[in-house]
Amino acid sequence: MQISGAQMVIEAFIAEGVDTVFGYPGGAIMNVYDEIYKQDKFQHILNRHEQASVHAAEGYSKASGKVGVAMITSGPGFTNAVTGLADAYMDSIPLVVISGQVPMFLIGTDAFQEIDAVGISRSCTKHNYLVTDIKDLPRILKEAFYIARSGRPGPVHIDIPKDITAEIGEFDYDIELDLETYKPHTKGNPRQIKKAIEAIAKAKRPLFYLGGGIINANAAYLVRELVQKTGIPAVETFMARGVLSFDDELLIGMLGMHGSYASNMAMSETDLVIGLGVRFDDRVTGKLSEFAKNADVIHVDIDPASISKLVNADYPIVGDVKNVVSDMLEQVEKIDSNNYESWRETIINFNELHPLTFHEDSERIKPQWVVKRVGELLGDDANISTDVGQHQMWAGQFYPFTRPRQFVSSSGLGTMGFGFPAAIGVKAASPEKISINFTGDGSILMNVQELMTAVEKKIPVINIILNNNFLGMVRQWQTLFYDKRHSETDLSVQPDFVKLAEAFGGIGYRVKTKEEFDAALKDAVEKNIVAFIEVIVHRMENVMPMVPSGGSLFNMMLLEKKGDK
Amino acid sequence: MTEDNQRRVVSVIVVNEASVLSRITDLFSGRGYNITSLTVAPIPESKYSRLTIVTAGSVRVIEQITKQLHKLIPVLRVYEHEDMVEKEMAMIKLPISENLSDINALCEAYNGKIVNAGENTIIAMVTDEPKRIDNFLNAIKRYNPKEIVRSGAVALER
Ligand SMILES: Cc1ncc(C[n+]2csc(CCOP(=O)(O)OP(=O)(O)O)c2C)c(N)n1
Ligand SMILES: [Mg+2]
């Protein structure tokens, strides 16, 4: 059929089953917005900043497993969105982000709101396109969705000049994609899998190292089965929270810089690491030369470049985790879970020695308590997003996650301002769940304008602001490593968060006691409108345990025993 | 794994499309890999181009380079050369007043000759292995070269 470039974008969205688009209009993308106005197949959510549009699309994608879609204009619209692209790239989140560009005849002339968008997005997208011919547009749209979601997922950016969205061309979306140069390897090599199974059967102290790739591959429930049938203990990365349920006896906890003592010790003592959908990030491994020093490594990942990048894999398996794990399950009877009995006991002992916990304080609420309490009150009924900082780590440590896609957080890039818009996207994707954003007094101000989006679209995100009057995580490092010189991290001067929420038409609470907190949360859930619950928490609390940057996992700073201040 | 900084030649077959070269050079600069030389030209009667990249790094770095290159969507194939024939071309502009027969003899030792003569200068050309081009350029110094251009290496696996 003969339609305009702008209509092609709409038709492609419909064909791809897109039900929500996040975005912000402007000159170069107006032709497409005109078509959005005319259609009723999907909703458009107008964020109040393009960065928020991309984060919302990320949240949407993480919660739903679908490709997130965002739409922005050229120039400043695009540059505002770059942080979101980079964030999605680091965390392998499938997105299609469409930007308007100045008309073709103006490209290269420093035209109004012209910027070399594909030049900028090249290094923070899985792939990108500048459309220069209407004939290419249907194929590019289709490729973009395919590339975003296949292989190791990631954001794909399409930059479309304004004259191309106006031009009429032939649209046929039933084309076969011919991507000769892009063929993700999804099936694991059977010989390697067999060898890996044999290695597991022979190991004395094997350990599952579970990563976010499992969630991307929709493999969490198969992994649960594998863990259960083998009786092998497991640690999760921050990205993998919810792969195993918090009450799974074989789940030791989170590992890494703020992982539990038992998790990090298990990694230090294991003789066989079974890495599934992981990438040996420096926040996970600590000092590389000391990481899992006594272990052989099985590494399963869809991205060949992740394998042996940092830690040499003795059993490299390139493939989709879901396929590989189901192949492993077919041979699982070769593994005798009784072999690991004493290993499991060792780990229980680690846990008893230094359990993951915190000390209550009689005067002020401890931030960790808030996370635990939300877990007790809402548990499985809530999806959890976070911003970046101490509160983020506490959410990862203390929330009782029960399922994959329950937890959304900016892990690889660590983007303050991610949480609130992401929680909006999460709520748009799964309205039946309560959408909680754990945030800080610093982070929340980085996308606070999203109050307007949430009010307008009636998206009742509950933002729990753990207010420590500090850029807490930076303050913690200053306390520990910069001799308490708290340079530019004191946030004593603050807005009235209650009034701030109210000014946009949301609801605000300021709580200082546990009772007040329970009441506020209950009320916010019932009111069902966007809320700020500001909790005044202990100012100087540190996230513990901690592996100082570049240190070894077994050399942790631990929570001081009660009384020895 | 050794951490030595060995010279490596990598050939990359890419789809001939806009900005594909930037994708490759961005990858090198963004990840801190170095490029000693890079040549690129279309492969006749195909939609592909072939790049030859001379780089250096440890075994692990080279492995990452080939994997990361392969990850780029328009990259069809990456060869990390083991046993190759490698050639490079150099052109040198020299004053016509120098001893031309000596120069010609020297060029011949490196598969070359004088290819152009002007009013004041001549241009000589040689084609050989990059290492031997180094030697040639050293030897030619005594004839006061005014300008030198090297093509960068191209390679084919045996
Ligand atoms: C956009 C951005 N800027 C700066 C940082 C560095 N940074 C990491 S954590 C942090 C403090 C966050 O403060 P807050 O949101 O109050 O959280 P808290 O650590 O106090 O819980 C900062 C500044 C960052 N991660 N992201
Ligand atoms: Mg704070």
Side-chain angles (χ1 to χ4, degrees):
Chain A
M1 79 186 141
Q2 294 281 320
I3 54 176
S4 73
Q7 286 169 319
M8 290 182 187
V9 173
I10 306 296
E11 290 300 324
F13 286 178
I14 293 168
E16 294 288 347
V18 172
D19 59 24
T20 307
V21 173
F22 301 90
Y24 208 99
I29 193 77
M30 282 181 71
N31 294 332
V32 183
Y33 269 87
D34 196 41
E35 295 302 327
I36 288 180
Y37 184 89
K38 294 180 198 160
Q39 63 80 44
D40 59 1
K41 296 289 197 303
F42 57 83
Q43 65 166 336
H44 178 275
I45 293 180
L46 177 73
N47 299 90
R48 270 22 178 211
H49 190 293
E50 290 88 349
Q51 182 192 355
S53 295
V54 184
H55 291 329
E58 291 182 83
Y60 175 91
S61 170
K62 276 221 146 183
S64 66
K66 291 165 57 175
V67 176
V69 178
M71 177 115 59
I72 57 205
T73 192
S74 68
F78 169 74
T79 54
N80 274 349
V82 171
T83 303
L85 287 172
D87 193 89
Y89 185 57
M90 290 291 274
D91 283 350
S92 310
I93 301 175
L95 298 184
V96 170
V97 175
I98 295 186
S99 58
Q101 181 56 280
V102 301
M104 293 269 285
F105 62 89
L106 283 177
I107 288 181
T109 66
D110 302 315
F112 178 64
Q113 295 192 330
E114 181 189 0
I115 195 84
D116 175 12
V118 285
I120 292 173
S121 70
R122 197 175 295 131
S123 57
C124 55
T125 50
K126 181 171 175 184
H127 197 48
N128 63 10
Y129 300 88
L130 169 63
V131 184
T132 54
D133 189 333
I134 184 80
K135 283 207 235 48
D136 298 331
L137 186 54
R139 172 186 58 81
I140 287 175
L141 286 161
K142 191 159 187 171
E143 274 183 19
F145 277 91
Y146 172 66
I147 289 172
R149 76 166 88 86
S150 57
R152 178 176 176 177
V156 178
H157 167 219
I158 310 176
D159 198 33
I160 317 180
K162 190 171 184 179
D163 48 348
I164 301 250
T165 50
E167 201 177 333
I168 305 289
E170 175 62 22
F171 182 80
D172 177 7
Y173 208 69
D174 280 334
I175 35 171
E176 279 292 317
L177 288 183
D178 172 30
L179 282 160
E180 207 182 343
T181 61
Y182 174 72
K183 296 201 162 69
H185 207 83
T186 57
K187 193 87 186 118
N189 180 317
R191 236 176 327 128
Q192 287 291 88
I193 294 175
K194 186 157 172 275
K195 276 200 218 155
I197 291 283
E198 282 159 10
I200 298 172
K202 263 191 259 154
K204 296 199 170 58
R205 300 181 306 281
L207 181 70
F208 280 111
Y209 161 29
L210 309 177
I214 296 168
I215 295 175
N216 276 339
N218 293 316
Y221 290 96
L222 280 180
V223 169
R224 287 182 180 194
E225 196 181 329
L226 185 65
V227 170
Q228 217 254 317
K229 288 194 168 150
T230 55
I232 296 171
V235 293
E236 286 178 348
T237 65
F238 185 71
M239 295 263 298
R241 295 312 253 162
V243 168
L244 300 184
S245 182
F246 78 102
D247 52 2
D248 190 318
E249 288 194 350
L250 289 163
L251 174 62
I252 311 171
M254 182 168 88
L255 87 163
M257 181 173 273
H258 293 299
S260 69
Y261 174 81
S263 303
N264 287 344
M265 288 309 292
M267 189 51 94
S268 304
E269 305 265 301
T270 177
D271 63 353
L272 181 68
V273 175
I274 311 163
L276 305 178
V278 290
R279 61 183 181 89
F280 296 85
D281 178 82
D282 55 279
R283 285 294 193 261
V284 161
T285 61
K287 190 174 180 184
L288 265 179
S289 58
E290 308 267 6
F291 176 78
K293 217 175 166 180
N294 310 310
D296 279 349
V297 174
I298 298 171
H299 190 179
V300 181
D301 203 275
I302 188 96
D303 177 10
S306 281
I307 292 178
S308 295
K309 177 173 70 173
L310 295 156
V311 169
N312 189 46
D314 305 278
Y315 305 92
I317 302 173
V318 178
D320 185 278
V321 180
K322 193 170 185 177
N323 292 337
V324 176
V325 170
S326 75
D327 289 351
M328 284 178 149
L329 276 167
E330 278 173 21
Q331 313 175 38
V332 78
E333 72 287 348
K334 291 185 190 158
I335 297 166
D336 180 0
S337 73
N338 294 318
N339 289 349
Y340 318 125
E341 190 53 48
S342 72
W343 171 229
R344 287 189 293 262
E345 269 164 34
T346 309
I347 288 166
I348 292 171
N349 289 339
F350 286 146
N351 232 333
E352 283 170 358
L353 194 58
H354 296 289
L356 180 69
T357 184
F358 62 97
H359 300 316
E360 289 281 9
D361 179 286
S362 50
E363 278 163 35
R364 289 240 160 145
I365 294 183
K366 281 294 182 80
Q368 299 94 326
W369 176 85
V370 179
V371 173
K372 275 190 84 165
R373 189 65 184 150
V374 177
E376 285 161 14
L377 294 174
L378 304 182
D380 188 63
D381 292 338
N383 283 327
I384 305 298
S385 306
T386 82
D387 259 304
V388 172
Q390 293 183 308
H391 61 273
Q392 176 188 32
M393 291 300 117
W394 287 317
Q397 288 179 328
F398 290 102
Y399 198 87
F401 297 103
T402 42
R403 57 191 157 82
R405 303 198 179 281
Q406 188 181 11
F407 184 46
V408 176
S409 188
S410 167
S411 311
L413 199 66
T415 311
M416 287 172 70
F418 172 87
F420 189 8
I424 288 176
V426 168
K427 186 71 185 176
S430 44
E432 73 291 354
K433 298 282 179 191
I434 298 162
S435 183
I436 299 284
N437 173 34
F438 284 112
T439 179
D441 46 315
S443 297
I444 190 63
L445 290 185
M446 283 208 181
N447 265 319
V448 75
Q449 78 287 339
E450 290 312 296
L451 275 165
M452 204 68 262
T453 312
V455 166
E456 184 194 32
K457 291 288 178 186
K458 302 195 169 50
I459 302 174
V461 170
I462 301 176
N463 294 278
I464 300 177
I465 307 171
L466 299 178
N467 191 350
N468 51 14
N469 282 264
F470 268 123
L471 295 172
M473 186 56 97
V474 183
R475 193 278 307 150
Q476 172 169 343
W477 285 48
Q478 290 170 335
T479 302
L480 296 173
F481 312 121
Y482 290 84
D483 212 7
K484 303 197 172 111
R485 288 185 299 278
H486 295 154
S487 174
E488 302 296 323
T489 46
D490 189 319
L491 300 183
S492 289
V493 179
Q494 295 210 322
D496 181 328
F497 284 110
V498 175
K499 282 192 191 153
L500 185 57
E502 286 170 0
F504 285 86
I507 187 162
Y509 310 83
R510 181 161 210 259
V511 305
K512 291 183 170 164
T513 67
K514 293 179 174 177
E515 294 70 33
E516 286 170 0
F517 178 75
D518 283 6
L521 184 62
K522 185 160 176 284
D523 195 59
V525 170
E526 279 166 11
K527 288 258 166 46
N528 211 25
I529 54 173
V530 62
F532 276 5
I533 303 179
E534 178 197 8
V535 192
I536 311 301
V537 296
H538 202 287
R539 280 198 88 190
M540 298 302 284
E541 189 69 6
N542 289 336
V543 182
M544 287 292 155
M546 177 174 191
V547 180
S549 195
S552 312
L553 286 190
F554 50 82
N555 264 334
M556 273 162 281
M557 301 167 81
L558 295 161
L559 184 70
E560 291 166 1
K561 293 266 190 269
K562 220 170 184 161
D564 51 57
K565 272 263 150 94
Chain B
M1 294 234 173
T2 51
E3 290 303 310
D4 57 336
N5 213 41
Q6 45 174 298
R7 180 180 185 277
R8 274 292 183 181
V9 183
V10 179
S11 288
V12 192
I13 315 291
V14 298
V15 178
N16 219 339
E17 63 182 23
S19 75
V20 63
L21 191 57
S22 330
R23 289 186 203 282
I24 302 226
T25 53
D26 278 11
L27 189 152
F28 274 77
S29 61
R31 291 186 181 265
Y33 310 143
N34 60 56
I35 298 180
T36 311
S37 77
L38 183 157
T39 66
V40 52
I43 300 175
E45 284 153 47
S46 83
K47 57 176 185 178
Y48 298 107
S49 280
R50 182 175 177 124
L51 287 83
T52 312
I53 302 172
V54 180
T55 181
S58 65
V59 173
R60 172 162 287 162
V61 166
I62 301 293
E63 187 183 324
Q64 263 299 303
I65 289 176
T66 54
K67 285 176 168 178
Q68 294 292 349
L69 281 169
H70 210 98
K71 238 171 108 169
L72 296 174
I73 308 288
V75 168
L76 178 68
R77 204 163 296 141
V78 183
Y79 303 98
E80 192 195 327
H81 291 295
E82 299 285 342
D83 181 22
M84 61 186 162
V85 176
E86 191 190 356
K87 295 286 175 199
E88 184 173 2
M89 195 250 264
M91 292 198 288
I92 316 93
K93 193 186 278 178
L94 299 146
I96 205 156
S97 53
E98 296 292 331
N99 185 331
L100 296 191
S101 58
D102 280 10
I103 290 173
N104 208 34
L106 184 61
C107 289
E108 272 173 13
Y110 292 89
N111 304 310
K113 57 185 176 192
I114 293 169
V115 289
N116 180 273
E119 210 171 305
N120 301 313
T121 56
I122 59 144
I123 293 176
M125 182 210 83
V126 291
T127 308
D128 215 321
E129 279 143 37
K131 192 97 203 99
R132 285 184 41 86
I133 297 283
D134 291 345
N135 297 342
F136 168 80
L137 291 177
N138 257 331
I140 201 83
K141 264 187 199 152
R142 81 184 77 135
Y143 302 105
N144 301 310
K146 289 175 166 313
E147 233 179 304
I148 297 174
V149 56
R150 298 179 69 146
S151 65
V154 291
L156 274 182
E157 196 70 9
R158 270 184 232 273

